Amino acid sequence: MQNVKKHQHSQKHIKAISNRLSRTIGHLEAVKNMVERNEDCSKILIQLAAIKAAVNNTAKAVLKEHLAHCIHHTCSEENKQSIEELNKAIDMFVK
């Protein structure tokens, strides 16, 4: 295995992803409360669909950042391991 250098992301990117995740966590907690209050299943499913979309959009933002910074950097260094790791992560995400 090659020694992969640790990469850095901007504080702006980290904050944006952290904010997205915080909103999604809050939304999930709200849906949990809906379940505990025995609210209508249709309303719960609609909220779960919104959470699923939020998670997918967050993943898309992470992937775009990864392609723009990490993969671009490693390609310039001819680091094939990073490409393989990205492919595995994408495979796991789209299951």
Side-chain angles (χ1 to χ4, degrees), residues 4-48:
V4 180
K5 293 180 184 177
K6 183 166 173 52
H7 58 275
Q8 297 290 320
H9 294 282
S10 72
Q11 284 302 315
K12 182 179 176 182
H13 171 73
I14 292 168
K15 181 73 172 162
I17 296 300
S18 180
N19 287 343
R20 283 176 177 255
L21 292 171
S22 292
R23 283 191 302 273
T24 303
I25 290 166
H27 198 166
L28 192 55
E29 284 290 333
V31 173
K32 179 182 173 208
N33 291 333
M34 289 174 70
V35 170
E36 290 170 352
R37 290 189 308 264
N38 199 25
E39 291 193 26
D40 182 63
C41 292
S42 297
K43 291 179 182 179
I44 292 169
L45 287 171
I46 290 167
Q47 294 306 310
L48 287 172

Side-chain angles (χ1 to χ4, degrees), residues 55-74:
V55 169
N56 285 339
N57 288 332
T58 302
K60 187 168 42 173
V62 170
L63 178 58
K64 284 181 179 182
E65 173 75 4
H66 189 61
L67 290 172
H69 285 92
C70 308
I71 295 301
H72 175 74
H73 175 71
T74 57

